[in-house]
Amino acid sequence: MMRFSLMLCSLLLCACTHRSTLLPTGDLGVVIERASGSVQIVNTTHHNAINQVEGLGDLSHASIVYSRDQRYAYVFGRDGGLSKVDLLQQKLDHRILQGGNSIGGAISQDGSMVAVSNYDPGGVKIFSADTLDLIADIPAEYAPGKFSKTVGLVDAPGNRFVFSLYDGNAIWLVDMSDPSSPNIQRFSNIGRAPYDGLISPQGRYYIAGLFGEDGLALLDLWHPEQGVQRILPDYGKGSEKMPVYKMPHLEGWAISGNKAFFPAVGRNEVLVMDMNNWQLLQHIPVHGQPVFVMTQPDHRRVWVNFAFPDNDTVQIIDTETSEVIKTLVPGKGVLHMEFTPRGEQVWISVRDENRIDIYDTKTLQRLHTLPANAPSGIFFTNRAHQIGL
């Protein structure tokens, strides 16, 4: 009997020890600490930092995608680094230097491939999500001997990737159904200097913003044979030339019903577009030049942050009235916002004050703060199951 009791106690102790090492990935996230080349793994339910993972290189323009099981975060560093972080083991699993200057990445629909967008060398490289072995190298050669920076890389249904060529004025659609033989469709002369791109939440429309001229470029991925359509010819920098301190991020478009809220380039405005006919509906005056224009998961409100020198402020727009209903001033260097999966809270990085603020999206009151070393991007694991994120 004594022996049995000892064995039972030992088994219970082992079980408790094992359980304590397990983490529910659904309420985890990663915060980029750009100054130190590290990331924080955070828990969105308990509002705490779990651990810090170091040695990730230059994270000055870093972004993250997740494996479909939410265990691994793939971190794209500005120095060309591709890092695979294990959220369960809370450590760096693998890291490679795949280029000289990277700007973002995406993960395929089936989760088997990770693509990286490069300024230097110009092009996109695609790797095994498991081993980070190179699967495909796609140089963005738009003319003999001329290579373009690639921007606006997103995943699309059917194990496809879409990206824009900043110097080549083009959109490329890459079908990786057969990883050994990528099928590339090239769409040229889409407009001058596409600087970023987004894909609609359903994965049908890819839209590239143009920095070199007014307008946007639209590709219908259900019917790519129709080519690229120019929309909103009056959108862009506009007639009043203003310094552009930071390019807006089109990934942060806010889509609510049939309306899209998006940042204007070089204007202190958020623009509203009718997605049924791609016509401009409204100009909403805001505090400064918007960077991210992001909708709550319930689409009730849109949150906007701004470029320098107005980057201490966040404004909230009601999607029914298109009016600014609240202005918050979290502090200097507000770089990014991320909603918890069901939208009851928003986490805001305040880079210059080395902290993350957590707000209640119903009361618009600050609930909590977390220390962080020059935080920038915030990425929660629910992104693993969203197209284009």
Side-chain angles (χ1 to χ4, degrees):
M1 192 67 182
M2 179 66 72
R3 183 179 299 170
F4 175 78
S5 298
L6 289 172
M7 289 176 61
L8 181 60
C9 289
S10 177
L11 288 171
L12 288 173
L13 179 61
C14 288
C16 291
T17 302
H18 178 66
R19 176 177 289 181
S20 69
T21 64
L22 296 179
L23 292 171
T25 59
D27 63 353
L28 297 185
V30 170
V31 176
I32 299 293
E33 296 183 309
R34 58 188 294 163
S36 57
S38 59
V39 299
Q40 274 197 38
I41 301 173
V42 297
N43 184 296
T44 63
T45 299
H46 301 294
H47 303 160
N48 67 322
I50 296 171
N51 211 338
Q52 183 186 60
V53 179
E54 300 177 325
L56 304 184
D58 183 355
L59 300 185
S60 58
H61 196 285
S63 61
I64 289 175
V65 297
Y66 287 99
S67 60
R68 63 188 301 159
D69 62 3
Q70 301 178 322
R71 175 172 181 173
Y72 296 103
Y74 298 90
V75 184
F76 308 101
R78 194 60 184 261
D79 58 358
L82 170 58
S83 302
K84 183 179 180 182
V85 175
D86 187 332
L87 301 189
L88 296 187
Q89 297 293 326
Q90 303 165 36
K91 68 177 185 179
L92 179 62
D93 179 87
H94 192 33
R95 172 175 162 81
I96 61 172
L97 282 175
Q98 58 79 44
N101 190 336
S102 301
I103 199 65
I107 190 164
S108 62
Q109 184 179 33
D110 66 2
S112 67
M113 294 171 284
V114 174
V116 187
S117 178
N118 287 302
Y119 276 6
D120 179 23
V124 167
K125 293 182 179 180
I126 301 174
F127 301 87
S128 163
D130 183 28
T131 64
L132 300 191
D133 290 339
L134 183 65
I135 294 175
D137 187 353
I138 304 172
E141 188 174 12
Y142 63 93
K146 294 185 177 181
F147 297 87
S148 174
K149 303 180 183 71
T150 53
V151 296
L153 172 65
V154 299
D155 62 281
N159 274 1
R160 294 179 295 174
F161 295 104
V162 196
F163 56 92
S164 297
L165 278 63
Y166 179 85
D167 307 291
N169 304 326
I171 294 172
W172 287 10
L173 172 61
V174 181
D175 189 335
M176 292 295 293
S177 298
D178 180 0
S180 65
S181 181
N183 181 27
I184 305 172
Q185 290 180 267
R186 298 171 174 85
F187 304 89
S188 302
N189 302 315
I190 66 161
R192 293 197 301 273
Y195 70 90
D196 198 5
L198 67 96
I199 192 168
S200 61
Q202 299 81 11
R204 176 171 182 177
Y205 297 108
Y206 178 83
I207 300 174
L210 302 176
F211 186 67
E213 59 183 286
D214 287 356
L216 299 159
L218 169 72
L219 177 63
D220 185 343
L221 299 177
W222 287 9
H223 300 287
E225 70 280 357
Q226 296 178 357
V228 173
Q229 174 187 353
R230 291 293 301 277
I231 61 174
L232 298 189
D234 296 324
Y235 162 72
K237 289 185 289 186
S239 56
E240 180 185 355
K241 302 300 182 182
M242 297 176 64
V244 178
Y245 293 105
K246 182 174 177 62
M247 292 302 298
H249 284 255
L250 294 188
E251 179 191 301
W253 270 36
I255 295 176
S256 177
N258 67 333
K259 295 190 294 186
F261 297 75
F262 59 99
V265 177
R267 295 180 183 177
N268 296 348
E269 293 178 336
V270 169
L271 306 181
V272 187
M273 178 176 64
D274 186 337
M275 295 189 68
N276 291 323
N277 56 21
W278 309 108
Q279 297 299 308
L280 190 63
L281 294 175
Q282 192 173 1
H283 301 253
I284 304 175
V286 290
H287 176 70
Q289 292 182 22
V291 177
F292 282 101
V293 178
M294 302 179 70
T295 185
Q296 296 175 185
D298 63 3
H299 294 189
R300 187 67 182 83
R301 292 167 176 167
V302 166
W303 294 60
V304 186
N305 74 326
F306 302 97
F308 178 86
D310 302 309
N311 61 357
D312 62 345
T313 299
V314 172
Q315 288 191 311
I316 301 146
I317 298 171
D318 183 288
T319 57
E320 283 191 318
T321 65
S322 295
E323 294 180 353
V324 175
I325 60 170
K326 186 75 171 181
T327 297
L328 306 173
V329 186
K332 294 180 180 179
V334 172
L335 293 193
H336 197 250
M337 303 169 289
E338 182 83 339
F339 295 97
T340 49
R342 296 199 179 192
E344 74 282 0
Q345 296 161 9
V346 61
W347 290 42
I348 299 174
S349 61
V350 190
R351 179 197 60 195
D352 296 354
E353 300 188 18
N354 295 306
R355 72 171 196 271
I356 300 159
D357 285 350
I358 303 170
Y359 282 83
D360 185 305
T361 55
K362 182 178 180 181
T363 66
L364 307 183
Q365 298 298 309
R366 189 170 66 183
L367 300 174
H368 195 65
T369 63
L370 284 177
N373 187 5
S376 55
I378 304 172
F379 305 88
F380 295 154
T381 55
N382 61 299
R383 286 171 168 254
H385 308 298
Q386 299 179 42
I387 294 171
L389 296 179

